[in-house]
Amino acid sequence: MIAATLRAMFAIRPNKPNSANNVTSISTLPRQEPPGLPVLAAFGVTEGEARPLPGGQGGTWCADGIVLKRTGLRTETAWRAHTLNALPETDEFRVAPPVRSMDGTWTAGGWEAWRLVPGTADERRVDDVLRVGRAFHAALAELPRPAFLDERDDPWSRADRFSWGYAAGSAEARAAEEAVPAREFDLVAPLLAARTPLPEGASQVVHGDLLGNVLFADADGLPPAIIDWPAYWRPPGWASAVAAVDALCWHGADPGVLDRWAHVPRWRQLLVRAVLFRIATHERLDPDLAAAYRPVADLVLDGHWPQATESRTAQRRSPRAEPRGERRPEPTGLRAVRAPEPEPEPERTHAEPEPLREPEVQPQTPTQPQPQPQPQRAEPQQEMLDVCAPLPEEQQEPAPEPSTGPHAEPSTGPHAEASAEPSTEQRTGPLDSSPS
């Protein structure tokens, strides 16, 4: 009954508002005009017509293996292209290679372009998406903060600033925060009350819209591909929190994903900001949107998350799962070399046998034999004792209890079994949006 209730509350909602794959929100754009022939020629496209692709706020097109999209900030486009071009190849993720125009720049006529890469998005594989994002962010860890982030002004950037809080003491910042329509939503007040300051220094460049922008090509033996990168300056765990919130709100994800990733530092506070971020992109919250966000907000505020009720099925679909406690991937990229994390101790599921011990033999002092009236049979010496006899009770070690942590990450392999048993007491309660 509990599992059925959770599945009903977190049912898949196919249309995710305020998303690059949906045009039902005030923040999205209708289908735009395709790139003209001069733009196509500028990126080396000489054959075929541009056809529309899903997503990209209605403005993504493909022609002759080249994907084209309207450019936002040219400085952001150039920075992203240079960054992706500098990343070395790795078996943990792929990126869509950017394409230069004929004049050597990364834009032409207000458009940017990159190579079409094989793969399909699967928002149900949220654990795999989070692992790919973790490897991608590790490769970017040493990049400095891009200056264009201060220039960007769109619904997602404003929602991001609102969800983290504006700088205290700035009258302009306070006025901007007060102007965000989401401040008046009844869902927002408890989240703002639960938000507490986080220590500085954990932020880096991250991908702010992972779910739906990771393409899987397992049948081709290729690592997942990361596309459509909107850059933010936040902790890597925040990017994971946004993807988890999206999966819960719009793709029927198992609420146990919050428990499986609870080892992320300051996870609950990052989830609070992720829910605020997604809600704040809306100018109004109609009943359907409120029904999607409210269970997730309640779940985050409660802070006691159920273990995965469907984790076994989900893990069989996920070929890149890894057991909790395994060393994090150490990708090569734009980052300094870090000291490896200590190897975890292997789990002991049964008592290890006690090694056989030879009994100690006491030295004997030779004595003169005494005459006996009648010969008697000699007693066996100490060294002839049975060495396989059980040890005294005080020498035996008790068998350790098997370790079953409630926060174990999924096990490796598409057919791996979950290490955590489903909780007998479940809690009820639960965008691809970005300026890329």
Side-chain angles (χ1 to χ4, degrees):
M1 178 63 70
I2 294 176
T5 302
L6 284 172
R7 284 193 294 269
M9 295 189 69
F10 290 88
I12 295 177
R13 297 173 175 86
N15 292 324
K16 169 185 167 187
N18 243 6
S19 124
N21 296 321
N22 182 278
V23 293
T24 62
S25 164
I26 52 91
S27 299
T28 56
L29 300 174
R31 176 64 62 191
Q32 302 173 12
E33 291 296 320
L37 291 179
V39 172
L40 295 177
F43 286 108
V45 178
T46 58
E47 297 181 359
E49 296 182 355
R51 66 182 190 277
L53 293 179
Q57 303 173 22
T60 305
W61 302 79
C62 183
D64 196 20
I66 303 294
V67 178
L68 300 101
K69 183 179 179 179
R70 283 284 183 181
T71 298
L73 289 174
R74 295 185 62 182
T75 52
E76 180 176 4
T77 299
W79 174 91
R80 181 169 50 238
H82 281 296
T83 302
L84 292 176
N85 249 11
L87 285 175
E89 292 188 4
T90 170
D91 59 0
E92 293 176 298
F93 62 86
R94 294 173 289 146
V95 297
V99 177
R100 290 184 184 271
S101 63
M102 301 299 289
D103 63 2
T105 64
W106 297 108
T107 61
W111 292 79
E112 60 183 288
W114 58 91
R115 298 286 176 187
L116 183 68
V117 293
T120 305
D122 188 349
E123 291 85 352
R124 298 169 300 175
R125 294 175 60 172
V126 59
D127 291 288
D128 289 333
V129 170
L130 266 58
R131 274 183 283 271
V132 174
R134 183 176 63 186
F136 181 63
H137 295 145
L140 306 173
E142 301 303 321
L143 287 176
R145 186 179 186 275
F148 66 80
L149 293 177
D150 296 326
E151 307 171 23
R152 207 165 63 189
D153 185 29
D154 51 56
W156 300 281
S157 298
R158 292 191 291 270
D160 169 60
R161 299 180 188 118
F162 171 80
S163 65
W164 282 82
Y166 290 79
S170 168
E172 182 180 354
R174 288 198 302 272
E177 184 175 10
E178 294 290 340
V180 175
R183 174 170 286 281
E184 306 301 323
F185 301 162
D186 62 342
L187 279 176
V188 168
L191 292 165
L192 289 176
R195 186 182 64 189
T196 60
L198 293 180
E200 298 180 0
S203 294
Q204 65 161 80
V205 177
V206 298
H207 191 305
D209 195 18
L210 283 168
L211 197 69
N213 286 318
V214 174
L215 307 183
F216 297 97
D218 301 332
D220 298 327
L222 298 172
I226 296 175
I227 63 170
D228 211 5
W229 175 20
Y232 290 83
W233 185 258
R234 296 300 179 200
W238 172 81
S240 299
V242 172
V245 167
D246 286 349
L248 288 170
C249 287
W250 311 112
H251 300 285
D254 167 23
V257 66
L258 301 186
D259 181 75
R260 293 196 295 274
W261 289 85
H263 58 281
V264 173
R266 304 172 185 87
W267 181 233
R268 181 173 179 269
Q269 280 298 313
L270 297 175
L271 287 168
V272 167
R273 287 160 169 79
V275 178
L276 279 171
F277 169 56
R278 286 313 197 195
I279 293 176
T281 57
H282 302 282
E283 292 186 357
R284 57 182 295 271
L285 211 59
D286 60 39
D288 289 339
L289 290 175
Y293 286 121
R294 189 177 302 278
V296 181
D298 291 343
L299 196 64
V300 168
L301 291 172
D302 179 73
H304 296 85
W305 306 308
Q307 296 181 13
T309 57
E310 299 177 355
S311 59
R312 295 177 186 270
T313 302
Q315 289 170 33
R316 291 190 184 101
R317 288 198 306 260
S318 304
R320 292 182 174 268
E322 64 187 41
R324 179 171 174 80
E326 187 171 312
R327 291 178 62 185
R328 289 180 56 178
E330 194 70 21
T332 57
L334 307 178
R335 59 189 300 273
V337 177
R338 297 176 176 173
E341 299 181 4
E343 293 283 355
E345 295 184 2
E347 294 185 356
R348 297 176 62 184
T349 58
H350 60 278
E352 296 181 1
E354 183 75 16
L356 297 179
R357 304 179 182 178
E358 293 288 345
E360 295 182 2
V361 180
Q362 300 295 334
Q364 299 181 3
T365 304
T367 58
Q368 294 295 329
Q370 298 294 330
Q372 298 293 335
Q374 294 181 356
Q376 296 181 359
R377 186 173 181 177
E379 294 293 333
Q381 298 297 320
Q382 178 72 19
E383 62 268 17
M384 298 300 294
L385 292 176
D386 184 4
V387 295
C388 294
L391 295 173
E393 186 173 348
E394 61 273 9
Q395 298 183 23
Q396 296 184 2
E397 295 184 0
E401 294 291 335
S403 61
T404 56
H407 303 302
E409 284 191 30
S411 302
T412 305
H415 304 290
E417 295 295 327
S419 60
E421 290 298 325
S423 173
T424 57
E425 182 178 348
Q426 303 286 351
R427 312 252 347 159
T428 58
L431 286 123
D432 154 79
S433 64
S434 300
S436 61

